[in-house]
Amino acid sequence: MSSENKATFGRHLRSDFFLEDKYIPLNHGSFGVYPRSIHKVLREYQDKTEEHPDRWNRIEVDPLLRKNRELIAELINCPDASDVAFVQNASTGVATILRSYPFKKGDKVICFESTYVNVNATLKYLQDIDQVELISISLKYPLSDGKVLDILRATIQEHNKEGKIRLAVLDAIIAQPGTVFPYEAASRLVQENGILSLIDAAHSIGQIPIDISSFDPDFFVSNLHKWFFTPRGSCVLYAPKRNQGYLHPLTINYKYSSEGTEFEQEFWNFGAHDHSPFLCVDAAIEYRKSLGGEEAIRDYIHNLAVEGGNVVAKHLGTQVMENEDKTLIGAMVNVEIPLYPKTLTDAQVSSQFIHKIIYEQNCMAPAFKHNNKWWVRLSAQIYNDLKDFENGAKAIEQVCQELSI
């Protein structure tokens, strides 16, 4: 980590946010936070809404939404902003795509055991209602990207002999364990086999670089409120025009037509809705530029995740989850923890771990079981430094000792 980055970023930026002074914030990935300066912008837009609701909602908000969609399109290298829509969060975006697609009985969908719980629930719904067959792949990390692709390729070869796999749900960054997934190569692989690629990139914008044009996915969804510093809930949904004909928002509105979608218009009008979080993209970009821009931020949070993970693993006498190619860590790092419960169920351990680390240690790092070991997922953000990881290691150690009885 360069000395310049250390000077620009770190705990002195904590004052830019609303975080409690003594809180050890190592879980940015779950909900995100946004700066005070953006909160001011949010409230200004909300006030405009109330000052003249008709003028705002009927006339003035539309060009601002368009402007902010254009900014996000430029950020992810999407050449046409009309292929981008705002939705409330990634779960909504993925559900929108899955529930719009014209599945037929016997169609197959590839997913993973590590697919986010809300997405897996939507897939289960499709299984129950549309009689879609789910092909769930188990990945036991740490794995190399090559091994992940080999497993995916073998799954396609085994299950697609009749050409019935319609779609694959692929993470860009898995939620648990918090690992970067080879989503670009995986997207190309499924598309080469006539399968649509849906990229659940909930954790991606603001954490890793995204270049839509370089791999041309069929669908892409990423939260903005997790890592990009916009208020909750704000998320971008990308669908190229080849796939827009059957895509409709979960709330059908008057722009719906049985002859095809008016993608921009359908996804603009949610009915009575607070658009203000979407309008803060511009302010988030400016705030991030003031700190050096996207690359500088990504470099800092990645390097801090790597170094911080090593600090925690050394303190606990365990290991960091990483592969030989060093491709798993973005700005989230998974560290094995010395947690050996004797009487508690796994669900009880997860619940009590969260309660104890929040209320007794004033810290947060979610614990989860993967490949028969307990781990914590730690997030690095611009307001963190190594001292947070040192303090977090002590908090984690204490909770592990209390639950290993």
Side-chain angles (χ1 to χ4, degrees):
M1 192 182 306
S2 72
S3 58
E4 181 181 352
N5 272 353
K6 286 183 178 179
T8 303
F9 304 107
R11 65 174 45 232
H12 65 277
L13 287 181
R14 202 78 51 94
S15 61
D16 282 8
F17 298 82
F18 291 96
L19 296 164
E20 293 180 4
D21 289 341
K22 295 183 179 179
Y23 174 47
I24 307 170
L26 293 172
N27 189 39
H28 185 95
S30 282
F31 303 107
V33 294
Y34 58 94
R36 295 173 185 271
S37 60
I38 293 173
H39 182 261
K40 180 181 178 182
V41 174
L42 174 75
R43 293 310 304 267
E44 288 173 353
Y45 283 126
Q46 290 172 333
D47 288 347
K48 284 180 180 291
T49 307
E50 302 309 316
E51 289 165 1
H52 199 312
D54 285 284
R55 183 179 66 205
W56 178 254
N57 286 292
R58 295 176 186 275
I59 301 171
E60 293 181 349
V61 74
D62 196 14
L64 290 171
L65 284 168
R66 175 74 188 189
K67 173 188 175 183
N68 281 272
R69 285 193 290 114
E70 289 173 348
L71 290 170
I72 280 296
E74 181 180 1
L75 182 77
I76 63 176
N77 195 24
C78 168
D80 189 347
S82 66
D83 293 341
V84 168
F86 286 127
V87 292
Q88 289 88 343
N89 54 56
S91 294
T92 300
V94 173
T96 296
I97 296 161
L98 291 175
R99 296 185 66 178
S100 292
Y101 186 81
F103 288 110
K104 297 177 181 178
K105 181 180 178 180
D107 285 347
K108 301 177 182 181
V109 176
I110 290 176
C111 56
F112 295 81
E113 289 182 2
S114 54
T115 298
Y116 185 58
V117 288
N118 288 357
V119 176
N120 266 330
T122 302
L123 290 169
K124 181 64 168 59
Y125 173 87
L126 295 177
Q127 186 180 46
D128 293 341
I129 301 301
D130 295 333
Q131 295 182 293
V132 168
E133 180 182 339
L134 303 182
I135 305 167
S136 184
I137 299 174
S138 177
L139 299 177
K140 303 299 184 184
Y141 280 95
L143 290 170
S144 69
D145 291 350
K147 182 62 175 175
V148 170
L149 295 171
D150 287 344
I151 293 170
L152 177 58
R153 186 177 296 108
T155 300
I156 294 170
Q157 291 171 351
E158 178 183 354
H159 292 275
N160 204 35
K161 294 173 183 176
E162 298 177 357
K164 286 201 169 185
I165 302 180
R166 301 295 178 223
L167 184 144
V169 180
L170 308 167
D171 285 304
I173 299 174
I174 299 171
Q176 285 187 352
T179 53
V180 179
F181 186 86
Y183 66 97
E184 294 175 314
S187 179
R188 295 187 188 101
L189 174 58
V190 301
Q191 288 174 325
E192 288 167 2
N193 286 274
I195 301 166
L196 295 172
S197 64
L198 193 172
I199 311 300
D200 179 2
H203 285 271
S204 299
I205 294 180
Q207 183 176 171
I208 59 175
I210 301 294
D211 186 346
I212 290 292
S213 294
S214 70
F215 72 109
D216 190 27
D218 291 295
F219 305 101
F220 177 93
V221 178
S222 179
N223 287 315
L224 301 172
H225 59 253
K226 279 188 182 288
W227 292 90
F228 199 66
F229 300 148
T230 62
R232 302 172 213 96
S234 49
C235 174
V236 60
L237 185 159
Y238 161 81
K241 287 180 177 55
R242 66 179 182 269
N243 295 325
Q244 291 178 8
Y246 50 78
L247 203 60
H248 306 283
L250 294 179
T251 303
I252 302 299
N253 59 60
Y254 72 98
K255 287 294 183 179
Y256 169 78
S257 169
S258 59
E259 298 178 358
T261 182
E262 293 187 43
F263 182 76
E264 278 191 280
Q265 291 300 311
E266 279 199 69
F267 281 87
W268 169 79
N269 191 340
F270 294 117
H273 175 78
D274 183 7
H275 296 91
S276 303
F278 306 147
L279 304 182
C280 292
V281 167
D282 191 2
I285 289 173
E286 291 307 309
Y287 176 77
R288 296 169 72 84
K289 284 181 178 178
S290 74
L291 299 175
E294 296 304 309
E295 186 175 359
I297 291 172
R298 288 196 302 264
D299 285 349
Y300 180 80
I301 59 179
H302 168 72
N303 291 331
L304 181 58
V306 172
E307 294 179 25
N310 288 332
V311 165
V312 175
K314 182 178 180 180
H315 181 90
L316 299 176
T318 60
Q319 62 179 328
V320 170
M321 183 184 290
E322 182 57 290
N323 62 27
E324 59 270 27
D325 299 320
K326 310 296 184 187
T327 60
L328 297 184
I329 300 175
M332 296 190 292
V333 59
N334 307 283
V335 178
E336 185 184 351
I337 56 176
L339 182 54
Y340 311 105
K342 297 179 177 62
T343 59
L344 300 173
T345 66
D346 289 352
Q348 288 172 329
V349 170
S350 296
S351 176
Q352 291 190 29
F353 190 98
I354 289 175
H355 193 276
K356 281 181 172 292
I357 200 168
I358 289 176
Y359 286 103
E360 297 176 13
Q361 303 297 326
N362 203 16
C363 180
M364 180 54 193
F368 62 96
K369 199 171 189 179
H370 179 79
N371 205 6
N372 297 316
K373 295 178 179 179
W374 282 96
W375 305 79
V376 288
R377 188 193 72 187
L378 304 162
S379 298
Q381 193 44 270
I382 60 169
Y383 51 71
N384 292 122
D385 58 22
L386 283 178
K387 188 67 175 177
D388 290 318
F389 286 84
E390 293 169 2
N391 292 334
K394 296 172 186 175
I396 293 164
E397 181 181 39
Q398 181 63 35
V399 174
C400 286
Q401 289 174 355
E402 292 175 6
L403 294 180
S404 295
I405 55 175

